[in-house]
Amino acid sequence: MAGFSAAAEAASVRGFVRDATGLSVLGASVRLADADGRALAESRTGAGGGFAFDAVAPGRYQLLVEAAGFERKKIAVEATEGGAIPLHVQLELAAIASSITVTATRGSVEDVETSSHVVSVADSSKFATLPLPTVASALHQEPGVFIQETTFGQASPILRGLTGYQTLILF
């Protein structure tokens, strides 16, 4: 493989993968890649969280570390001749993401992309940039929604002709 040389000029990249509490991460995928991101070697961490790439040509590389439930980590490493100081790679827990689709059809599950009904999806970033004095304000520019505002702070969304007691708004 490219990047590896004879034992006379060999270097090594060694280290340990741990979580934020200092515990070893077993079975993490560790890849050694060149500057262009092409993988040169791959390994999995053992029981102590250790990994090693021996007989590596001296130089700078990327180390890509992935494990289930953790954020992917990419760091620059330098392989030098002689004894290398072991690397300590700390992985952070991955963010938990989920989404729920609420439909008007009782007892069925539908995907937003394949639903035949008009579905509007908004995330928190949209609401963070708008002033929202009422619930109806959050629905202001959505298709099929008309807002009846009687006074400031009192508004009622009309969804495709259905008024307040005929609609259900969930948070």
Side-chain angles (χ1 to χ4, degrees):
M1 282 186 146
F4 293 94
S5 65
E9 297 179 17
S12 66
V13 176
R14 296 173 173 263
F16 300 93
V17 178
R18 309 231 187 265
D19 66 9
T21 64
L23 295 175
S24 301
V25 178
L26 172 68
S29 170
V30 183
R31 287 191 318 253
L32 190 66
D34 64 11
D36 295 325
R38 290 185 301 258
L40 303 174
E42 186 168 346
S43 179
R44 292 233 174 245
T45 57
F51 64 90
F53 298 105
D54 294 320
V56 177
R60 294 189 58 79
Y61 298 95
Q62 294 180 42
L63 193 67
L64 305 153
V65 184
E66 295 179 283
F70 292 93
E71 295 283 336
R72 181 179 181 197
K73 184 111 179 200
K74 179 164 63 169
I75 58 173
V77 296
E78 185 162 354
T80 58
E81 293 181 45
I85 298 172
L87 298 166
H88 293 280
V89 180
Q90 180 176 319
L91 296 181
E92 301 295 327
L93 288 176
I96 297 173
S98 66
S99 86
I100 298 172
T101 303
V102 178
T103 65
T105 309
R106 176 178 277 174
S108 79
V109 177
E110 294 183 55
D111 188 34
V112 172
E113 286 79 23
T114 59
S115 175
S116 62
H117 304 287
V118 176
V119 176
S120 179
V121 178
D123 62 7
S124 60
S125 63
K126 174 187 173 189
F127 299 124
T129 60
L130 298 172
L132 301 173
T134 66
V135 172
S137 301
L139 300 171
H140 179 64
Q141 294 180 343
E142 296 301 323
V145 178
F146 173 74
I147 306 298
Q148 177 184 3
E149 190 167 357
T150 53
T151 63
F152 181 76
Q154 293 182 339
S156 177
I158 300 173
L159 308 171
R160 293 186 212 119
L162 301 174
T163 59
Y165 71 93
Q166 297 167 318
T167 62
L168 174 63
I169 299 174
L170 301 172
F171 288 95

